[in-house]
Each structure stands twice: as C-alpha cells, then as structure tokens.
Amino acid sequence: GLLNLIGISIIAVHGLNILLGYTGQISLGQAAFMAVGAYTAAVLVKAGVSFWFALPISGLVAGLVGLLFGLPSLRIKGFYLAMATLSAQMIIPWFFRNVRGDIFGGMSGLTLPPPRLGDIVFNSQQTMFFPIMLTVVVCTFVAKNIARTRLGRAFIAIRDNDLAAELLGIQQFSYKLRAFFLSALYAGLAGA
C-alpha cells in the first residue's frame, strides 16, 4: 500500500517537475488537478465506461482544467501566480463537495466497483501495484524525455530567462500553457 501511494505521488510530482522544474512556473494547485482526474474517472466509471478507458480521459480533462488556471501565467509571475493556482486548490474541491451531489457524491464522495481486466479484479493493494508501477514507469520515461525535445528546451529557456527566450522566437504564452497542461495531465493520471 505504501509503495502504491509513493507511485501515485511520483506521477503527480513528475507533472509538477515539468511545470516548476523545467518551466519555472509556480503551482500550488497540483492536488486539485489530482481531484479533477479522480472525479472524472469516477464519474465515467459510474456511467459505465471502462476504468482503463477513463484513465487517459481523466488525464486529458485535468489537463484542460489546468489550461484554464494556467491562462494568467503570461501576465503574472511569482507570488501572484502562486495565488492564482492556489485558487484552484480552494475552488475545485469545494466544487466537488458542494455542487451536484447527485453526480459527485457530495461530502461522502463516490463508491465504485474495482477495476477489471479480463478475469483479473484489481481489488487489493497487491493487485493495484502492477498497473500503478507500469504507469509510473511510462510517465517517468515520458517526463525524462520531454527535456530532450524541442518542447523541453523551450521550457528550460523560459525558466532561465523568459525575455531572452522570447527574443529567440519562443512564444511564451503557448509554451507556458503547454507546461500547465502537461502538469495537470500528470496530476489527473495520478488522481485517477
């Protein structure tokens, strides 16, 4: 169980590393984006969608919500960006607790059947270990290789000196939004 929690945290932290480590943007709302991923997967599973199909969709939905909270990133920096992302940490859990209790379960949350893959039922910490660790390995591989791509080099240029990066032709707004999207996508996967 402890290894599963560590694996889930590693997935979320890889997203935070893309945003904070590569791009230099501050986010205090990573746990809120995990909640978006968790509730998206839960609502989809409750609607009859397979968990394995809901997993990537929950990452994409969390990424889109991350884009929404990343929009102010071009105009504000530092402390003010931290406050903007902290608003996600306050607004999103409040939304899931207080709005549409029939969909999101209100204060008690949602109870779902365990995921299945053929005859295998993932209903214990031991059986959940393997899909979680597989996701950790894939997410680690992708996050490590992002730094080697053009996207990663643009992130690092923005982190090091955003004015120089813009003079080199890097569109800051586009790359900052991509960083917020990727960060929230990883958080959504971790939440699901």
Side-chain angles (χ1 to χ4, degrees):
L2 183 61
L3 289 175
N4 289 344
L5 290 175
I6 291 170
I8 291 167
S9 298
I10 288 171
I11 296 168
V13 168
H14 277 313
L16 196 56
N17 184 45
I18 290 170
L19 186 65
L20 184 62
Y22 293 165
T23 316
Q25 301 297 303
I26 297 172
S27 176
L28 299 176
Q30 196 74 350
F33 302 131
M34 286 179 71
V36 170
Y39 274 99
T40 301
V43 168
L44 288 173
V45 168
K46 188 177 171 184
V49 176
S50 167
F51 171 76
W52 308 108
F53 186 67
L55 183 65
I57 291 175
S58 63
L60 291 174
V61 170
L64 293 174
V65 173
L67 278 178
L68 178 69
F69 283 94
L71 285 173
S73 67
L74 184 63
R75 299 284 180 216
I76 58 178
K77 296 178 183 174
F79 174 75
Y80 299 105
L81 181 58
M83 290 300 106
T85 57
L86 183 62
S87 68
Q89 188 63 35
M90 299 295 145
I91 294 169
I92 291 172
W94 178 89
F95 176 82
F96 287 132
R97 279 192 312 266
N98 299 314
V99 177
R100 296 300 305 257
D102 57 327
I103 296 175
F104 300 117
M107 292 297 285
S108 61
L110 296 170
T111 304
L112 301 170
R116 302 176 80 84
L117 187 61
D119 292 334
I120 303 170
V121 179
F122 296 94
N123 59 356
S124 69
Q125 294 291 339
Q126 290 82 9
T127 56
M128 286 301 294
F129 175 79
F130 297 105
I132 289 172
M133 289 305 146
L134 177 66
T135 308
V136 168
V137 168
V138 170
C139 289
T140 301
F141 178 76
V142 171
K144 180 157 179 57
N145 285 315
I146 283 176
R148 299 177 184 167
T149 65
R150 179 180 179 166
L151 177 68
R153 289 191 301 270
F155 287 166
I156 293 168
I158 290 171
R159 178 198 66 201
D160 290 344
N161 190 336
D162 56 352
L163 182 60
E166 191 157 355
L167 291 174
L168 290 173
I170 296 171
Q171 296 176 351
Q172 282 190 46
F173 189 63
S174 170
Y175 283 99
K176 286 181 180 180
L177 284 182
R178 290 178 196 180
F180 270 98
F181 176 80
L182 287 172
S183 175
L185 183 134
Y186 271 79
L189 286 175

